[in-house]
Amino acid sequence: PINHILHLENKSNEVIERIEIFNPQGKVVKVFTRPSSTILLSDLPLGLYLLKVQLGDDFYHTQIIKQ
């Protein structure tokens, strides 16, 4: 679970091109292009979110819980 800041850890040499954050209804609520290693999420309501991360030409998905 996260509070207000999401810390990104990239173990590859690929650049994180883009991160999209979706709410449980599937609506994009935030988009970050070439984000830094920390993302401020204090304006998001508490709940479950899906992250879509573009790393080079590949896409990865994970869930986060904001408390």
Side-chain angles (χ1 to χ4, degrees):
I2 63 165
N3 288 316
H4 299 294
I5 298 174
L6 174 64
H7 298 280
L8 303 174
E9 183 178 333
N10 182 2
K11 295 182 179 180
S12 75
N13 291 330
E14 301 261 2
V15 173
I16 298 175
E17 297 290 340
R18 181 178 174 98
I19 294 179
E20 296 177 348
I21 301 178
F22 298 83
N23 67 14
Q25 292 75 37
K27 179 182 176 189
V28 176
V29 293
K30 287 222 173 253
V31 176
F32 301 92
T33 303
R34 297 245 172 158
S36 66
S37 61
T38 58
I39 294 177
L40 185 61
L41 299 177
S42 59
D43 57 333
L44 288 180
L46 303 180
L48 179 69
Y49 294 90
L50 175 71
L51 267 63
K52 179 180 175 184
V53 180
Q54 181 181 357
L55 195 64
D57 292 331
D58 297 319
F59 291 90
Y60 301 92
H61 299 86
T62 190
Q63 292 182 344
I64 60 168
I65 298 172
K66 179 162 183 230
Q67 294 185 338

